[in-house]
């Protein structure tokens, strides 16, 4: 995690994080036990436990709120960060690519 040197920004980030945790908790309780989406396929057995968590029944094409939220955040987060300019800088990305590439 990157260190935040500005105390006001650090506080703001903590408040936003707490708000999002509260919102996810609220929606999780509202949609507890209810499928929120239907997958067009039956997921792999590893993913089935995550996608069907908290749902009754044996229809594994049904999707819980937590799984849908996690998948959408993984999909949209990168694009939102790039669009708003909060992604990693090109220099840091280049360094990380060099650090994790195999030695030649």
């Amino acid at each position: 995690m990157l260190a935040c040197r500005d105390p006001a920004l650090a506080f703001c980030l903590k408040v936003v994080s707490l708000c999002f945790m509260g919102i996810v908790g609220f929606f999780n309780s509202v949609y507890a036990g209810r499928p929120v989406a239907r997958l067009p396929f039956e997921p792999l057995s590893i993913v089935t436990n995550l996608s069907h968590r908290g749902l009754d029944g044996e229809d594994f094409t049904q999707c819980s709120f937590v799984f849908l939220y996690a998948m959408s955040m993984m999909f949209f987060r990168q694009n939102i960060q790039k669009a708003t300019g909060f992604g990693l800088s090109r220099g840091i990305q280049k360094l990380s690519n060099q650090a994790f590439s195999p030695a030649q």
Side-chain angles (χ1 to χ4, degrees):
M1 185 171 170
L2 298 174
C4 182
R5 298 184 196 280
D6 184 13
L9 181 61
F11 177 74
C12 185
L13 290 174
K14 288 178 185 177
V15 169
V16 168
S17 298
L18 288 174
C19 288
F20 271 109
M21 287 181 358
I23 290 169
V24 169
F26 171 73
F27 281 119
N28 193 22
S29 65
V30 168
Y31 292 110
R34 291 191 227 166
V36 295
R38 183 170 297 275
L39 301 173
F41 55 89
E42 189 169 321
L44 299 172
S45 61
I46 297 170
V47 182
T48 301
N49 292 335
L50 296 173
S51 67
H52 202 68
R53 172 170 278 170
L55 299 178
D56 295 328
E58 298 296 320
D59 185 7
F60 294 117
T61 60
Q62 293 178 342
C63 178
S64 66
F65 168 75
V66 174
F67 181 75
L68 184 66
Y69 176 78
M71 290 295 113
S72 62
M73 283 294 103
M74 286 175 25
F75 179 75
F76 291 116
R77 183 179 203 157
Q78 203 75 13
N79 297 325
I80 291 172
Q81 285 179 345
K82 275 188 178 180
T84 57
F86 287 114
L88 294 176
S89 68
R90 290 184 196 149
I92 293 175
Q93 286 179 348
K94 190 182 288 185
L95 286 174
S96 67
N97 289 340
Q98 290 173 356
F100 294 114
S101 64
Q104 294 180 5

